[in-house]
mmCIF file of all heavy atoms in Angstrom:
data_model
loop_
_atom_site.group_PDB
_atom_site.id
_atom_site.type_symbol
_atom_site.label_atom_id
_atom_site.label_comp_id
_atom_site.label_asym_id
_atom_site.label_seq_id
_atom_site.Cartn_x
_atom_site.Cartn_y
_atom_site.Cartn_z
ATOM 1 N N SER A 836 149.766 133.985 61.220
ATOM 2 C CA SER A 836 149.460 133.981 59.707
ATOM 3 C C SER A 836 148.843 132.662 59.096
ATOM 4 O O SER A 836 147.987 132.909 58.239
ATOM 5 C CB SER A 836 150.836 134.154 59.060
ATOM 6 O OG SER A 836 151.467 135.293 59.529
ATOM 7 N N ILE A 837 149.250 131.590 59.579
ATOM 8 C CA ILE A 837 148.618 130.382 59.149
ATOM 9 C C ILE A 837 147.069 130.328 59.531
ATOM 10 O O ILE A 837 146.355 129.981 58.741
ATOM 11 C CB ILE A 837 149.295 129.096 59.756
ATOM 12 C CG1 ILE A 837 150.584 128.946 59.292
ATOM 13 C CG2 ILE A 837 148.457 127.843 59.577
ATOM 14 C CD1 ILE A 837 151.593 127.913 59.952
ATOM 15 N N PHE A 838 146.819 130.769 60.738
ATOM 16 C CA PHE A 838 145.432 130.861 61.228
ATOM 17 C C PHE A 838 144.608 131.801 60.277
ATOM 18 O O PHE A 838 143.483 131.430 59.810
ATOM 19 C CB PHE A 838 145.409 131.341 62.622
ATOM 20 C CG PHE A 838 143.961 131.437 63.159
ATOM 21 C CD1 PHE A 838 143.325 130.349 63.611
ATOM 22 C CD2 PHE A 838 143.365 132.664 63.266
ATOM 23 C CE1 PHE A 838 142.020 130.326 64.086
ATOM 24 C CE2 PHE A 838 142.095 132.746 63.830
ATOM 25 C CZ PHE A 838 141.434 131.692 64.187
ATOM 26 N N ILE A 839 144.986 132.901 60.043
ATOM 27 C CA ILE A 839 144.343 133.854 59.145
ATOM 28 C C ILE A 839 144.202 133.382 57.738
ATOM 29 O O ILE A 839 143.218 133.437 57.168
ATOM 30 C CB ILE A 839 145.048 135.271 59.180
ATOM 31 C CG1 ILE A 839 144.911 135.885 60.617
ATOM 32 C CG2 ILE A 839 144.367 136.131 58.094
ATOM 33 C CD1 ILE A 839 145.647 137.080 60.770
ATOM 34 N N ILE A 840 145.305 132.901 57.145
ATOM 35 C CA ILE A 840 145.246 132.367 55.753
ATOM 36 C C ILE A 840 144.205 131.158 55.575
ATOM 37 O O ILE A 840 143.485 131.009 54.787
ATOM 38 C CB ILE A 840 146.609 132.000 55.356
ATOM 39 C CG1 ILE A 840 147.459 133.190 55.173
ATOM 40 C CG2 ILE A 840 146.555 131.188 53.968
ATOM 41 C CD1 ILE A 840 148.898 132.856 54.876
ATOM 42 N N LEU A 841 144.266 130.262 56.607
ATOM 43 C CA LEU A 841 143.382 129.080 56.593
ATOM 44 C C LEU A 841 141.845 129.607 56.746
ATOM 45 O O LEU A 841 140.945 129.208 56.014
ATOM 46 C CB LEU A 841 143.641 128.198 57.741
ATOM 47 C CG LEU A 841 144.841 127.307 57.412
ATOM 48 C CD1 LEU A 841 145.201 126.322 58.683
ATOM 49 C CD2 LEU A 841 144.713 126.454 56.200
ATOM 50 N N THR A 842 141.673 130.512 57.635
ATOM 51 C CA THR A 842 140.309 131.014 57.896
ATOM 52 C C THR A 842 139.750 131.691 56.692
ATOM 53 O O THR A 842 138.660 131.420 56.435
ATOM 54 C CB THR A 842 140.351 132.000 59.212
ATOM 55 O OG1 THR A 842 140.905 131.383 60.281
ATOM 56 C CG2 THR A 842 138.931 132.552 59.546
ATOM 57 N N ILE A 843 140.464 132.608 56.151
ATOM 58 C CA ILE A 843 139.920 133.419 54.976
ATOM 59 C C ILE A 843 139.867 132.443 53.764
ATOM 60 O O ILE A 843 138.844 132.573 53.042
ATOM 61 C CB ILE A 843 140.837 134.549 54.644
ATOM 62 C CG1 ILE A 843 140.723 135.601 55.837
ATOM 63 C CG2 ILE A 843 140.476 135.183 53.296
ATOM 64 C CD1 ILE A 843 141.713 136.698 55.694
ATOM 65 N N SER A 844 140.657 131.573 53.608
ATOM 66 C CA SER A 844 140.646 130.666 52.323
ATOM 67 C C SER A 844 139.529 129.630 52.546
ATOM 68 O O SER A 844 138.924 129.313 51.442
ATOM 69 C CB SER A 844 141.984 130.018 52.182
ATOM 70 O OG SER A 844 142.294 129.135 53.147
ATOM 71 N N ILE A 845 139.271 129.092 53.642
ATOM 72 C CA ILE A 845 138.226 128.163 53.828
ATOM 73 C C ILE A 845 136.820 128.802 53.930
ATOM 74 O O ILE A 845 135.830 128.218 53.304
ATOM 75 C CB ILE A 845 138.524 127.238 55.043
ATOM 76 C CG1 ILE A 845 139.804 126.438 54.707
ATOM 77 C CG2 ILE A 845 137.379 126.259 55.344
ATOM 78 C CD1 ILE A 845 140.368 125.709 55.832
ATOM 79 N N HIS A 846 136.785 129.837 54.715
ATOM 80 C CA HIS A 846 135.454 130.493 54.948
ATOM 81 C C HIS A 846 135.288 131.846 54.240
ATOM 82 O O HIS A 846 134.761 132.846 54.818
ATOM 83 C CB HIS A 846 135.242 130.691 56.473
ATOM 84 C CG HIS A 846 135.287 129.367 57.143
ATOM 85 N ND1 HIS A 846 134.191 128.402 57.168
ATOM 86 C CD2 HIS A 846 136.092 128.777 58.028
ATOM 87 C CE1 HIS A 846 134.428 127.408 57.872
ATOM 88 N NE2 HIS A 846 135.674 127.519 58.396
ATOM 89 N N TYR A 847 135.696 131.885 53.107
ATOM 90 C CA TYR A 847 135.816 133.194 52.250
ATOM 91 C C TYR A 847 134.321 133.665 52.125
ATOM 92 O O TYR A 847 134.156 134.870 52.523
ATOM 93 C CB TYR A 847 136.345 132.881 50.872
ATOM 94 C CG TYR A 847 136.406 134.119 50.099
ATOM 95 C CD1 TYR A 847 137.396 135.101 50.225
ATOM 96 C CD2 TYR A 847 135.518 134.260 49.046
ATOM 97 C CE1 TYR A 847 137.421 136.201 49.375
ATOM 98 C CE2 TYR A 847 135.636 135.428 48.214
ATOM 99 C CZ TYR A 847 136.504 136.338 48.411
ATOM 100 O OH TYR A 847 136.649 137.462 47.508
ATOM 101 N N ASN A 848 133.444 132.999 51.605
ATOM 102 C CA ASN A 848 132.092 133.507 51.388
ATOM 103 C C ASN A 848 131.406 133.798 52.730
ATOM 104 O O ASN A 848 130.761 134.910 52.763
ATOM 105 C CB ASN A 848 131.139 132.280 50.840
ATOM 106 C CG ASN A 848 129.983 132.763 50.288
ATOM 107 O OD1 ASN A 848 129.816 133.960 49.904
ATOM 108 N ND2 ASN A 848 128.933 131.892 50.236
ATOM 109 N N GLU A 849 131.506 133.161 53.803
ATOM 110 C CA GLU A 849 130.948 133.500 55.062
ATOM 111 C C GLU A 849 131.382 134.850 55.636
ATOM 112 O O GLU A 849 130.605 135.585 56.187
ATOM 113 C CB GLU A 849 131.185 132.426 56.166
ATOM 114 C CG GLU A 849 130.495 131.107 55.857
ATOM 115 C CD GLU A 849 131.146 130.175 54.996
ATOM 116 O OE1 GLU A 849 132.140 130.462 54.452
ATOM 117 O OE2 GLU A 849 130.565 129.112 54.770
ATOM 118 N N PHE A 850 132.844 135.053 55.434
ATOM 119 C CA PHE A 850 133.282 136.386 55.864
ATOM 120 C C PHE A 850 132.928 137.593 54.993
ATOM 121 O O PHE A 850 132.877 138.667 55.454
ATOM 122 C CB PHE A 850 134.887 136.327 55.992
ATOM 123 C CG PHE A 850 135.244 135.625 57.223
ATOM 124 C CD1 PHE A 850 135.862 134.306 57.146
ATOM 125 C CD2 PHE A 850 135.130 136.271 58.440
ATOM 126 C CE1 PHE A 850 136.250 133.855 58.408
ATOM 127 C CE2 PHE A 850 135.510 135.612 59.606
ATOM 128 C CZ PHE A 850 136.006 134.261 59.632
ATOM 129 N N LEU A 851 132.489 137.339 53.825
ATOM 130 C CA LEU A 851 132.064 138.352 52.904
ATOM 131 C C LEU A 851 130.552 138.691 53.113
ATOM 132 O O LEU A 851 130.122 139.769 53.160
ATOM 133 C CB LEU A 851 132.163 138.010 51.524
ATOM 134 C CG LEU A 851 133.598 138.078 50.912
ATOM 135 C CD1 LEU A 851 133.696 137.637 49.496
ATOM 136 C CD2 LEU A 851 134.180 139.559 51.078
ATOM 137 N N THR A 852 129.698 137.695 53.485
ATOM 138 C CA THR A 852 128.345 137.878 53.702
ATOM 139 C C THR A 852 127.862 138.156 55.138
ATOM 140 O O THR A 852 127.103 139.084 55.346
ATOM 141 C CB THR A 852 127.578 136.653 53.047
ATOM 142 O OG1 THR A 852 127.928 135.480 53.755
ATOM 143 C CG2 THR A 852 127.778 136.519 51.551
ATOM 144 N N HIS A 853 128.408 137.423 56.008
ATOM 145 C CA HIS A 853 128.043 137.568 57.399
ATOM 146 C C HIS A 853 129.004 137.175 58.409
ATOM 147 O O HIS A 853 129.002 136.038 59.057
ATOM 148 C CB HIS A 853 126.640 136.656 57.723
ATOM 149 C CG HIS A 853 126.731 135.285 57.309
ATOM 150 N ND1 HIS A 853 126.711 134.917 56.002
ATOM 151 C CD2 HIS A 853 127.060 134.111 58.046
ATOM 152 C CE1 HIS A 853 126.756 133.554 55.984
ATOM 153 N NE2 HIS A 853 127.067 133.062 57.198
ATOM 154 N N PRO A 854 130.024 138.051 58.607
ATOM 155 C CA PRO A 854 131.254 137.669 59.319
ATOM 156 C C PRO A 854 130.971 137.546 60.805
ATOM 157 O O PRO A 854 131.360 136.570 61.433
ATOM 158 C CB PRO A 854 132.192 138.717 58.988
ATOM 159 C CG PRO A 854 131.448 139.808 58.478
ATOM 160 C CD PRO A 854 130.264 139.264 57.887
ATOM 161 N N PHE A 855 130.178 138.479 61.276
ATOM 162 C CA PHE A 855 129.998 138.471 62.916
ATOM 163 C C PHE A 855 129.206 137.335 63.284
ATOM 164 O O PHE A 855 129.497 136.590 64.203
ATOM 165 C CB PHE A 855 129.245 139.768 63.212
ATOM 166 C CG PHE A 855 129.144 140.018 64.650
ATOM 167 C CD1 PHE A 855 130.366 140.301 65.292
ATOM 168 C CD2 PHE A 855 128.034 139.982 65.394
ATOM 169 C CE1 PHE A 855 130.382 140.486 66.728
ATOM 170 C CE2 PHE A 855 127.967 140.244 66.705
ATOM 171 C CZ PHE A 855 129.210 140.472 67.363
ATOM 172 N N SER A 856 128.103 136.994 62.626
ATOM 173 C CA SER A 856 127.335 135.745 62.884
ATOM 174 C C SER A 856 128.090 134.568 62.760
ATOM 175 O O SER A 856 127.998 133.537 63.510
ATOM 176 C CB SER A 856 126.041 135.673 62.123
ATOM 177 O OG SER A 856 126.287 135.573 60.809
ATOM 178 N N HIS A 857 129.017 134.533 61.712
ATOM 179 C CA HIS A 857 129.990 133.239 61.532
ATOM 180 C C HIS A 857 130.872 133.072 62.717
ATOM 181 O O HIS A 857 130.988 132.034 63.207
ATOM 182 C CB HIS A 857 130.653 133.463 60.188
ATOM 183 C CG HIS A 857 131.448 132.201 59.936
ATOM 184 N ND1 HIS A 857 130.778 131.115 59.565
ATOM 185 C CD2 HIS A 857 132.772 132.092 59.865
ATOM 186 C CE1 HIS A 857 131.828 130.152 59.188
ATOM 187 N NE2 HIS A 857 132.939 130.702 59.448
ATOM 188 N N ILE A 858 131.396 134.184 63.238
ATOM 189 C CA ILE A 858 132.208 134.010 64.395
ATOM 190 C C ILE A 858 131.647 133.621 65.580
ATOM 191 O O ILE A 858 131.984 132.805 66.371
ATOM 192 C CB ILE A 858 133.071 135.527 64.529
ATOM 193 C CG1 ILE A 858 134.100 135.670 63.446
ATOM 194 C CG2 ILE A 858 133.838 135.447 65.869
ATOM 195 C CD1 ILE A 858 134.722 137.023 63.350
ATOM 196 N N LEU A 859 130.375 134.269 65.855
ATOM 197 C CA LEU A 859 129.512 133.895 67.038
ATOM 198 C C LEU A 859 129.081 132.401 67.021
ATOM 199 O O LEU A 859 128.916 131.737 68.128
ATOM 200 C CB LEU A 859 128.355 134.882 67.092
ATOM 201 C CG LEU A 859 128.651 136.290 67.499
ATOM 202 C CD1 LEU A 859 127.411 137.107 67.538
ATOM 203 C CD2 LEU A 859 129.478 136.367 68.821
#
Side-chain angles (χ1 to χ4, degrees):
S836 300
I837 291 170
F838 180 78
I839 291 171
I840 290 169
L841 287 176
T842 302
I843 291 174
S844 64
I845 293 172
H846 298 287
Y847 180 77
N848 191 31
E849 288 84 356
F850 280 108
L851 286 179
T852 57
H853 51 280
F855 191 67
S856 64
H857 185 71
I858 292 171
L859 290 178

